[in-house]
Amino acid sequence: MDISSRKITVKEVGPRDGLQNESVFVPTADKIAWINQLSRTGVSYIEITSFVHPKWIPALSDAVEVAQGIERAPGVTYGALVPNARGLERALLANIDDAAVFMSASETHNQKNINKSIEDTFPILKETAQAALAAQKTVRGYISTVFGCPYEGNVKIDAVIRVAENLLEMGIQEISLGDTIGIAHPRQVQEVLEVLLKRFPAERLAMHFHNTYGMALANTLVSVEMGISTFDSAVGGLGGCPYAPGASGNMATEDLLYMLHGMGMTTGIESTKMLEAARFLQGKMGKKFSSHQMQIGE
Amino acid sequence: MDISSRKITVKEVGPRDGLQNESVFVPTADKIAWINQLSRTGVSYIEITSFVHPKWIPALSDAVEVAQGIERAPGVTYGALVPNARGLERALLANIDDAAVFMSASETHNQKNINKSIEDTFPILKETAQAALAAQKTVRGYISTVFGCPYEGNVKIDAVIRVAENLLEMGIQEISLGDTIGIAHPRQVQEVLEVLLKRFPAERLAMHFHNTYGMALANTLVSVEMGISTFDSAVGGLGGCPYAPGASGNMATEDLLYMLHGMGMTTGIESTKMLEAARFLQGKMGKKFSSHQMQIGE
């Protein structure tokens, strides 16, 4: 397949998935200034915060202030993580455009993360998704541990299919397949996508790679070759991995752009502006970002 | 192409290309202990040092001591960088198995690096290669700046072909195609290999990727898909880039192994032993290595 002229949607998840796992609390005003900068890069989607209870994610305890404080740029969809109907209420008050619900493909990770079985999570997400759709919002659904679980190891593809089918039946428009612990390698990505693409159209699927083992870009490459066109990434490679202290975080947006643009694909994003946004936040966080582009010439 | 059962040769170049660009001088005894550790990983080729004049590469001024001090493991080929016939003489006295000669595909880089034009470099390498072959040694030839030059920018594929043809005509058995400044992206690798593989058999070509822009593994993946089976890498991602201070160095051997082995390919190398060798040297250098595997759980 000639992929060189493909149009790729990059969803910037740094303000949520990036900051969520960082120990530094970024002041609200800095978050807002940073997100405003991201809005001017040409990116079409920014996940700006999480409406999970602040007790669980103190780094994002200012969700309402951030959502209400940012400037909304035309053409940009502002999403937020939403755990349930109560979280959605707060998110709607803060006027988010897209609600991202989440659950795991592995029972143990779902239990530890959400404190419920997979079966008991479905009705909660259904209620949330339907309320969001009723409020004229779009909904995306994260599936965690698609490629492996920190507790169970291997995750069966049937478990992924079951969760994905349930989410799509709820009216959720896009499924984001998460390599939560960043262990997938390109062959595994290929094998998983071969199965999933027989059941679900490529337009319904996004990939959410973490770079824990350094595989994120190679995994992205095979995903593009298989027809996937939407990828989540975080400026600077923010995020780390709660199960592997010291490890790399999300796929870095600027490294992803280097590869995609170099290969001739288009994203609508200006790389230099994305790098400026990375440098801005790096200065505020006082932490050296791990992305390759950020290390060049520093 | 199903690449999952392919046999890949990984050539460990850390002791030469890795250390050459590091500012820390690793004491000779530590280099020897480290190379001895590498010899026990199952790797089949180690580039142990350089016989370029120590004035140019002070980090490797102990070439003779290193080459004479290491234990030679059966099944391991010990190579060294050799600039000319005089360098080769020292290398032969130190009993290396394989002589690696080098030049650039771009005129300016060749001039700055070797202080000669490309045309004037050919007879020097020919003399060196023929002397090495006469001494029953194997010879490999590095071509630098295949994918771009820090001075000239784009490098024409015809320039690469011309150098490669000349090297192969000298009797050199393997050409290592160097992305010296680490700027290649997978599409470029694909395009360059499409041209080269029409002229040269895949068995004669190795890829030498640097990870400056984070592309090394994705580039490796497309190279394997195109039929290449030999890759140069350095433990820990050692090396940096003289043209981009602070940037990542060579493709990290342990990250490469994670991808290859995960995908089902075989290298003969035990990853855990390679990681032990990385940790040993990291301790000696007092520097945090940049590879992903080395950051996990640190």
Side-chain angles (χ1 to χ4, degrees):
Chain A
M1 183 190 303
D2 180 27
I3 59 174
S4 62
S5 57
R6 284 268 295 282
K7 186 168 169 8
I8 303 293
T9 300
V10 174
K11 299 203 165 181
E12 173 58 49
V13 299
R16 196 279 301 175
D17 199 26
L19 293 187
Q20 161 178 332
N21 284 315
E22 296 287 338
S23 52
V24 178
F25 181 86
V26 177
T28 308
D30 291 338
K31 282 179 183 142
I32 291 171
W34 176 46
I35 294 169
N36 288 343
Q37 247 187 315
L38 291 172
S39 289
R40 295 189 287 266
T41 60
V43 75
S44 59
Y45 184 101
I46 310 174
E47 196 177 64
I48 55 171
T49 189
S50 162
F51 289 93
V52 170
H53 196 288
K55 179 171 67 175
W56 305 112
I57 312 185
L60 303 180
S61 59
D62 52 3
V64 174
E65 295 89 323
V66 167
Q68 290 180 336
I70 57 169
E71 293 159 25
R72 305 293 175 109
V76 181
T77 299
Y78 295 91
L81 199 71
V82 165
N84 51 33
R86 200 176 316 161
L88 179 69
E89 273 175 39
R90 293 170 62 222
L92 292 178
L93 285 173
N95 198 28
I96 58 102
D97 303 319
D98 181 77
V101 299
F102 58 97
M103 63 183 296
S104 305
S106 81
E107 198 62 53
T108 315
H109 188 267
N110 200 71
Q111 191 75 47
K112 299 237 183 201
N113 205 31
I114 304 187
N115 207 22
K116 290 202 162 43
S117 71
I118 285 179
E119 203 53 43
D120 291 346
T121 305
F122 288 139
I124 294 168
L125 297 200
K126 187 174 182 181
E127 183 193 7
T128 312
Q130 294 188 337
L133 293 167
Q136 312 292 323
K137 306 300 182 184
T138 53
V139 186
R140 82 189 305 232
Y142 282 111
I143 308 181
S144 300
T145 66
V146 167
F147 299 93
C149 168
Y151 308 108
E152 296 180 16
N154 278 350
V155 171
K156 292 222 169 72
I157 187 72
D158 289 346
V160 178
I161 291 171
R162 177 178 165 233
V163 173
E165 275 177 347
N166 272 277
L167 295 181
L168 290 170
E169 275 166 21
M170 294 172 195
I172 288 173
Q173 289 106 332
E174 181 177 89
I175 303 291
S176 179
L177 302 166
D179 184 13
T180 310
I181 51 174
I183 57 160
H185 53 71
R187 183 179 161 204
Q188 191 186 2
V189 171
Q190 210 163 14
E191 289 170 349
V192 165
L193 282 178
E194 261 164 23
V195 175
L196 296 183
L197 288 169
K198 281 188 190 135
R199 294 175 170 260
F200 312 113
E203 312 82 69
R204 294 303 195 100
L205 302 181
M207 306 306 289
H208 181 100
F209 291 123
H210 281 240
N211 205 25
T212 322
Y213 288 83
M215 299 297 120
L217 288 172
N219 288 340
T220 296
L221 186 61
V222 299
S223 304
V224 173
E225 283 169 349
M226 296 196 71
I228 301 292
S229 293
T230 302
F231 295 88
D232 302 347
S233 63
V235 151
L238 278 169
C241 179
Y243 308 99
S248 307
N250 284 264
M251 172 156 70
T253 307
E254 56 272 32
D255 290 348
L256 174 64
L257 294 178
Y258 183 90
M259 184 175 82
L260 298 178
H261 293 173
M263 296 182 76
M265 291 179 255
T266 55
T267 65
I269 301 172
E270 287 183 56
S271 302
T272 51
K273 290 191 177 170
M274 195 53 87
L275 269 168
E276 279 167 30
R279 285 197 201 98
F280 172 84
L281 187 70
Q282 183 176 254
K284 296 297 179 188
M285 290 184 73
K287 174 195 154 154
K288 190 113 178 64
F289 286 176
S290 67
S291 78
H292 291 273
Q293 318 307 312
M294 286 293 284
Q295 285 170 59
I296 293 167
E298 296 281 308
Chain B
M1 181 191 303
D2 181 27
I3 59 173
S4 62
S5 57
R6 285 268 293 282
K7 187 171 170 1
I8 303 293
T9 300
V10 173
K11 299 203 166 180
E12 173 59 46
V13 299
R16 196 280 300 174
D17 199 27
L19 293 187
Q20 161 178 329
N21 284 315
E22 297 285 340
S23 52
V24 177
F25 181 86
V26 177
T28 308
D30 291 338
K31 282 179 183 141
I32 291 171
W34 176 46
I35 294 168
N36 287 344
Q37 247 187 318
L38 291 172
S39 289
R40 294 189 288 265
T41 62
V43 76
S44 59
Y45 185 100
I46 309 173
E47 196 179 63
I48 56 171
T49 189
S50 163
F51 289 92
V52 170
H53 196 287
K55 179 170 65 173
W56 305 113
I57 312 185
L60 303 180
S61 58
D62 52 2
V64 174
E65 295 90 324
V66 167
Q68 291 181 334
I70 58 169
E71 293 160 25
R72 307 291 175 111
V76 181
T77 299
Y78 296 91
L81 200 70
V82 165
N84 51 32
R86 199 176 315 161
L88 180 69
E89 274 175 37
R90 294 170 61 222
L92 292 177
L93 286 173
N95 197 28
I96 57 103
D97 303 320
D98 181 76
V101 298
F102 58 97
M103 63 184 298
S104 305
S106 82
E107 198 62 55
T108 315
H109 188 267
N110 200 71
Q111 193 72 48
K112 299 238 183 200
N113 205 34
I114 303 185
N115 207 23
K116 289 203 162 46
S117 71
I118 286 178
E119 203 54 44
D120 291 347
T121 306
F122 289 138
I124 295 167
L125 299 200
K126 186 175 182 180
E127 183 192 7
T128 312
Q130 293 187 338
L133 293 167
Q136 311 291 322
K137 307 299 182 182
T138 53
V139 186
R140 82 190 303 234
Y142 282 111
I143 307 181
S144 301
T145 67
V146 167
F147 299 93
C149 168
Y151 308 108
E152 296 181 18
N154 278 350
V155 171
K156 292 223 169 70
I157 187 72
D158 288 347
V160 179
I161 291 171
R162 177 179 165 232
V163 174
E165 275 176 347
N166 272 278
L167 295 181
L168 290 170
E169 274 166 21
M170 295 173 196
I172 289 174
Q173 289 106 331
E174 180 177 270
I175 303 289
S176 179
L177 301 166
D179 183 13
T180 311
I181 50 175
I183 58 160
H185 53 71
R187 184 178 159 202
Q188 191 186 2
V189 171
Q190 211 163 12
E191 288 170 350
V192 165
L193 282 178
E194 261 164 23
V195 175
L196 296 182
L197 288 170
K198 283 187 189 134
R199 293 176 170 260
F200 311 112
E203 312 81 69
R204 292 303 195 99
L205 301 181
M207 305 307 289
H208 182 100
F209 292 123
H210 280 238
N211 205 26
T212 322
Y213 289 83
M215 299 298 119
L217 288 171
N219 287 341
T220 296
L221 187 60
V222 298
S223 305
V224 172
E225 283 169 348
M226 296 195 70
I228 302 292
S229 294
T230 302
F231 295 88
D232 301 347
S233 63
V235 152
L238 278 170
C241 178
Y243 307 100
S248 309
N250 284 265
M251 172 156 70
T253 307
E254 56 272 32
D255 291 347
L256 174 65
L257 294 179
Y258 183 90
M259 185 175 82
L260 298 177
H261 293 172
M263 295 180 76
M265 290 178 255
T266 55
T267 65
I269 301 172
E270 287 183 56
S271 302
T272 51
K273 289 191 177 170
M274 196 54 85
L275 269 169
E276 278 167 31
R279 284 196 201 98
F280 172 83
L281 188 69
Q282 182 175 254
K284 296 296 178 190
M285 291 184 72
K287 173 195 154 152
K288 188 114 180 61
F289 285 176
S290 67
S291 77
H292 290 273
Q293 317 308 310
M294 286 293 284
Q295 286 171 58
I296 293 167
E298 296 283 304

